[in-house]
Amino acid sequence: MTAPAAPYLEGLNPEQKICVEAPDGPLLILAGAGTGKTRTLTARIAHLLATGRARGSQILAVTFTNKAAKELRARAENYAGGGGGGGVFLSWAGTFHSMGARILRHHAELVGRRSNFTILDASDQQRLVKDLLKSANIDPARMPPALAHHLIERWKDRALAPDQIPSEEKQAHDGRIIKIYRAYQDQLKNLNAMDFGDLLMECLRLFRDAPEILEQYQNRFSHIFVDEYQDTNVAQYLWLRLLAAREKNLCCVGDDDQSIYGWRGAELGNILRFEKDFPGATIIRLERNYRSTGHILGGASAVISHNGSRLGKTLRAQEGDGDKIRLIRAHDGKDEAQRVCREILTLREKRVSLDEIAILVRSTAQMRSFEEEFLDLALPYRIIGGARFYERAEIRDIIAYLRLIAQPDDDLAFRRIVNVPKRGLGAKSVLCLTQAARDEGASLLDACSLHEDSLKPSGLKSAAIRKLRDFAAMIKRFADHKDALPLETLAEKVMDESGYRRMWAETKTPDAETRLDNLAEMLRACGEFDSLEGYLEHVALVMEIEAEAGGERVSLMTLHAAKGLEFDAVFLPGWEEGLMPHIRALTQDGLRGLEEERRLAHVGMTRARRNLYVGCADMRLIHGFWQDCLPSRFIAEIPQEHVEILPIAQPFGAEPVASAPLFSPSEGGAEEASEEESSLFSVGARAHHKIFGAGTVSRVEGKKVTVRFDDPPSEKTIMAGFLIRLPDGDSQGSSNFVMTGK
């Protein structure tokens, strides 16, 4: 009589079972979206425990989130308990950071710390960097604290101490940043503290300087498991490789097609090099997808197949073909949002829960049009992984300017923006002004214009008084124009003359361009209102409306925030060249950036179980200009047999027209510029880009053209195929330019 299978083997498909029962040695489980990777990983751990090949204390299992670690531990122990393992506790299961911290607390003195060292959070880290920059008399305009902190984080992701920074990187950045990095490390040591990067970098130093300690942990861990291996950075890779060097029982689960965090330090090469790094490694592909239907997987697999940097696999649906991917072709962004919301209402009528519907956008600036439609239709929604549009700091700042222009007595708005951008009016100056205003019975704005005899007793210095008067004069100038100018023009005037937009244009932080995108979207919103008062009333109502707690809500988030989630219905709007794939990824990282954008598209598509909608618009308002849009090359990469093109909605009474043909990659790929396109540009020539506007060519290197753009001021290196040569003497550029020859 055949003995019954162990509980952890029940329901596994053949490939999953092979993974679970594979012999010792390096193992890479290449698990596509929806293929049951977590179940496979935990079943393998349970198998080791149940068969006596390892004890719970001999297993190291590392993840990227505490939630994932908790789920992995609970599942493995449940399986092992049912299979005769006695519910063995996995004492070494957690995130990379928590495991690194645990090791370092046992050996803190060897890395210059005491065992009770503090782990600084991101805000404390940035505050420390800011103080060090100030002490070094480094102008924050030349080296913003957020940028300095970002550079230090990225160096630590690569396990680079201050004396290990490559010379070309020292030259690329202000050389003083290396001194700040060194001072930062010294200060952490003085504070008996570490940041998150240290938890692995100091571990690596410990293992290098004390090989007997490394040997102790190599002997302790007979088997090492890693989840989401494609998201590991260089420091994590080196840490794992050292710990696994003795036993070589390293089991990594990951998907190279879902590596979307390169901008955060993730190194795709870690998973692509697995066989080379661990000779004799076994690679097993999990391709049976239990989440999505055949048409969705067919489209997603076809898109990702265009990437060259991948190990390769083909997802196979276990749920039938289902409905085709629906393409929504809209006139503009507002029309796109309206059509998406109509489809959502149709899904709700078919009894699809709003909790099972998601809109995944490439840029946060896309969210506003959807939020407006949700409010108009009373559709409850939630923002996942970020703030609502009107709650974002940069939007609230400009709204504070507009409130003060409309209502000079708004002291709350005054306090928010009197020193934004910085004008040398700190908290002390505002406190003194408040005292003077209270004594005179005036608003803060009116108090700025009081005679010096009324202001100086409060403690205000002459320099501060001059700055306050300049600020008040600027607000009055805006107010004098508020009825004569269109609201969009007034708002743009505020952004530019206050220096607010220039502040973000000159800030070299990772989120600066996103904030500029949001400001541009705010201008578009202002263009929909006839008066400042009407707009402010609308914003107040938007901020007041909240979805009922506990009720069903549509989820609205970025594609990056959606990784690991799944929904019955997913909408992917804005699939146009320049937005998806995003122009910044293409111009900054070239082919590598394009392939990460394609992986992002693949992740978005595979979030959908039954219904997938892809949207694109024929034109969008970008930085104040209407731009013609080309459908994304990713749309053209979806085979026609998987797509249903929904008819373009026409104005009332118009005759229906056929949809325009899908975009062909040969018509707008722009992956490489031709020699003919490159020859159009020379130093000093004027050029126009559909996102960044007009500028002057400062350098030409083969097919790459460096342009110094006018407004907002910035310099970027861009493939020639994304630019158009402006006629001599054209200082602004047309609002209808598209990419050269595309």
Side-chain angles (χ1 to χ4, degrees):
M1 183 175 177
T2 304
Y8 54 80
L9 294 176
E10 293 179 0
L12 296 181
N13 65 40
E15 296 81 19
Q16 291 171 332
K17 191 173 181 181
I18 291 172
C19 293
V20 171
E21 297 179 328
D24 286 349
L27 171 65
L28 174 61
I29 302 175
L30 202 60
T35 57
K37 70 177 181 66
T38 303
R39 180 176 183 183
T40 304
L41 179 66
T42 53
R44 180 167 174 82
I45 293 174
H47 183 66
L48 294 180
L49 298 173
T51 57
R53 286 161 59 187
R55 297 188 303 275
S57 59
Q58 294 178 301
I59 293 176
L60 171 65
V62 287
T63 65
F64 278 87
T65 66
N66 289 314
K67 180 181 177 182
K70 184 177 180 180
E71 180 183 1
L72 183 148
R73 188 187 302 117
R75 283 200 194 188
E77 292 169 359
N78 179 60
Y79 284 147
V88 180
F89 182 70
L90 296 177
S91 56
W92 286 86
T95 64
F96 279 98
H97 290 144
S98 66
M99 295 296 97
R102 183 172 174 180
I103 291 172
L104 288 172
R105 290 201 187 280
H106 283 293
H107 311 283
E109 70 283 354
L110 296 178
V111 293
R113 306 294 198 280
R114 298 184 299 278
S115 61
N116 64 340
F117 62 79
T118 301
I119 301 174
L120 299 186
D121 62 21
S123 61
D124 288 333
Q125 295 166 32
Q126 291 188 29
R127 192 176 301 112
L128 179 56
V129 171
K130 184 177 181 179
D131 291 344
L132 290 170
L133 288 167
K134 185 175 181 180
S135 298
N137 294 317
I138 296 177
D139 184 358
R142 292 180 57 85
M143 177 55 68
L147 174 62
H149 177 246
H150 175 73
L151 290 172
I152 291 172
E153 279 189 314
R154 296 290 77 83
W155 282 325
K156 290 190 176 187
D157 286 342
R158 293 156 58 198
L160 295 175
D163 58 350
Q164 297 172 314
I165 308 300
S167 57
E168 62 269 17
E169 292 188 43
K170 292 180 182 179
Q171 295 171 2
H173 302 289
D174 187 332
R176 290 179 293 177
I177 184 59
I178 309 299
K179 294 180 180 179
I180 294 298
Y181 183 12
R182 188 173 288 111
Y184 175 77
Q185 290 301 98
D186 291 342
Q187 188 72 326
L188 287 177
K189 190 173 181 179
N190 293 337
L191 294 170
N192 190 38
M194 294 192 193
D195 62 17
F196 294 120
D198 286 331
L199 297 178
L200 289 180
M201 195 170 77
E202 291 296 334
C203 249
L204 291 172
R205 185 161 72 89
L206 170 69
F207 293 157
R208 182 193 65 210
D209 295 345
E212 70 281 4
I213 301 296
L214 171 60
E215 185 178 7
Q216 173 186 331
Y217 285 99
Q218 288 175 334
N219 291 335
R220 175 190 291 269
F221 302 128
S222 66
H223 291 79
I224 299 175
F225 290 83
V226 188
D227 193 16
E228 304 286 6
Y229 187 63
Q230 78 280 350
D231 292 334
T232 53
N233 58 36
V234 173
Q236 291 161 343
Y237 160 78
L238 294 172
W239 186 78
L240 289 167
R241 188 167 180 174
L242 283 174
L243 289 173
R246 181 184 178 91
E247 298 294 335
K248 296 183 172 57
N249 291 327
L250 177 64
C251 175
C252 297
V253 181
D255 182 6
D256 52 333
D257 291 337
Q258 295 190 69
S259 179
I260 59 173
Y261 297 124
W263 52 276
R264 206 164 67 184
E267 178 52 60
L268 176 64
N270 291 349
I271 193 169
L272 298 180
R273 292 194 313 266
F274 192 85
E275 282 185 288
K276 182 179 178 180
D277 290 338
F278 303 98
T282 300
I283 297 182
I284 303 173
R285 288 168 171 78
L286 300 183
E287 299 175 309
R288 302 190 195 209
N289 179 284
Y290 296 93
R291 175 189 300 161
S292 305
T293 58
H295 284 304
I296 293 172
L297 292 182
S301 295
V303 170
I304 199 63
S305 70
H306 286 76
N307 271 5
S309 302
R310 63 190 296 259
L311 296 173
K313 62 184 172 307
T314 302
L315 297 177
R316 301 190 303 274
Q318 306 299 299
E319 301 293 329
D321 285 342
D323 292 337
K324 290 186 177 183
I325 300 168
R326 295 181 175 90
L327 177 64
I328 299 175
R329 192 81 178 266
H331 296 298
D332 54 28
K334 183 176 180 63
D335 180 42
E336 180 185 53
Q338 290 174 340
R339 297 196 68 194
V340 166
C341 286
R342 285 201 296 271
E343 293 293 335
I344 290 175
L345 292 174
T346 300
L347 289 170
R348 188 164 68 170
E349 290 174 359
K350 295 178 180 178
R351 300 189 179 279
V352 177
S353 169
L354 294 183
D355 287 336
E356 290 295 339
I357 300 174
I359 301 175
L360 312 181
V361 297
R362 178 61 182 87
S363 166
T364 57
Q366 293 173 260
M367 291 184 179
R368 189 199 66 85
S369 58
F370 292 101
E371 291 188 62
E372 299 280 4
E373 287 302 314
F374 289 149
L375 295 169
D376 286 347
L377 297 172
L379 265 175
Y381 71 99
R382 63 170 68 87
I383 302 289
I384 294 180
R388 297 183 179 218
F389 184 80
Y390 289 108
E391 293 171 350
R392 296 183 181 118
E394 61 275 16
I395 304 303
R396 292 175 69 90
D397 286 343
I398 299 303
I399 287 174
Y401 272 101
L402 296 178
R403 281 170 47 191
L404 193 59
I405 292 166
Q407 177 48 266
D409 294 336
D410 192 335
D411 287 352
L412 289 176
F414 180 97
R415 286 191 177 93
R416 183 177 181 97
I417 45 88
V418 66
N419 200 39
V420 180
K422 291 188 181 301
R423 302 182 175 92
L425 295 168
K428 184 177 180 181
S429 295
V430 175
L431 184 63
C432 294
L433 180 68
T434 301
Q435 181 60 51
R438 187 179 296 117
D439 292 343
E440 296 292 330
S443 69
L444 292 177
L445 187 64
D446 287 342
C448 293
S449 303
L450 291 172
H451 194 275
E452 284 196 23
D453 292 342
S454 299
L455 292 173
K456 284 194 172 181
S458 68
L460 279 170
K461 305 297 184 184
S462 296
I465 293 173
R466 286 196 300 273
K467 292 171 183 175
L468 287 168
R469 286 181 173 166
D470 288 344
F471 175 76
M474 178 181 66
I475 297 299
K476 184 179 185 304
R477 188 166 65 250
F478 293 150
D480 289 343
H481 289 92
K482 78 179 181 69
D483 295 324
L485 294 175
L487 176 57
E488 183 177 3
T489 305
L490 175 65
E492 188 165 28
K493 191 178 181 70
V494 168
M495 290 181 192
D496 291 339
E497 294 186 15
S498 69
Y500 192 86
R501 192 150 59 172
R502 187 185 315 113
M503 174 186 75
W504 286 115
E506 295 174 353
T507 300
K508 300 176 182 178
T509 55
D511 64 339
E513 292 201 49
T514 297
R515 293 180 188 271
L516 288 170
D517 287 345
N518 290 336
L519 292 173
E521 178 61 21
M522 182 183 183
L523 290 178
R524 195 183 81 79
C526 289
E528 299 174 3
F529 291 84
D530 296 329
S531 68
L532 172 58
E533 290 74 15
Y535 176 68
L536 292 176
E537 181 179 325
H538 170 78
V539 171
L541 291 173
V542 168
M543 299 290 282
E544 183 68 22
I545 295 173
E546 292 287 345
E548 294 182 9
E552 294 181 5
R553 289 179 284 178
V554 177
S555 296
L556 179 58
M557 71 193 86
T558 64
L559 283 158
H560 284 100
K563 188 164 179 288
L565 304 178
E566 56 185 77
F567 303 89
D568 279 348
V570 169
F571 292 83
L572 303 174
W575 275 36
E576 300 127 27
E577 288 293 299
L579 186 53
M580 185 65 195
H582 203 285
I583 188 64
R584 284 199 293 269
L586 300 179
T587 55
Q588 293 174 5
D589 297 315
L591 181 59
R592 180 177 176 177
L594 171 62
E595 293 207 342
E596 180 147 328
E597 290 290 290
R598 190 175 278 115
R599 291 193 293 272
L600 192 58
H602 177 77
V603 166
M605 296 175 79
T606 54
R607 298 311 93 197
R609 296 192 193 102
R610 293 177 176 81
N611 299 105
L612 176 62
Y613 300 79
V614 175
C616 63
D618 291 335
M619 63 177 64
R620 286 189 189 273
L621 191 62
I622 301 173
H623 297 298
F625 295 102
W626 282 104
Q627 304 280 0
D628 295 330
C629 300
L630 291 172
S632 169
R633 70 193 73 191
F634 301 153
I635 291 177
E637 293 170 358
I638 304 173
Q640 291 295 299
E641 62 265 25
H642 297 303
V643 178
E644 174 190 351
I645 304 177
L646 300 182
I648 297 178
Q650 297 299 312
F652 181 75
E655 292 294 325
V657 298
S659 298
L662 284 174
F663 170 73
S664 167
S666 63
E667 293 173 357
E671 295 176 26
E672 295 187 4
S674 68
E675 295 298 334
E676 181 181 354
E677 288 167 345
S678 302
S679 66
L680 290 173
F681 302 98
S682 58
V683 174
R686 295 289 292 172
H688 188 279
H689 185 274
K690 67 179 292 186
I691 301 295
F692 304 120
T696 302
V697 175
S698 58
R699 186 167 61 254
V700 179
E701 295 178 313
K703 300 174 183 179
K704 296 180 179 179
V705 180
T706 301
V707 181
R708 189 173 293 113
F709 290 102
D710 301 338
D711 186 22
S714 63
E715 188 172 77
K716 299 181 184 299
T717 300
I718 296 173
M719 298 297 290
F722 284 106
L723 297 167
I724 189 165
R725 170 72 185 266
L726 293 177
D728 293 339
D730 189 334
S731 62
Q732 298 300 322
S734 164
S735 63
N736 288 321
F737 279 123
V738 295
M739 293 178 289
T740 306
K742 308 299 181 187

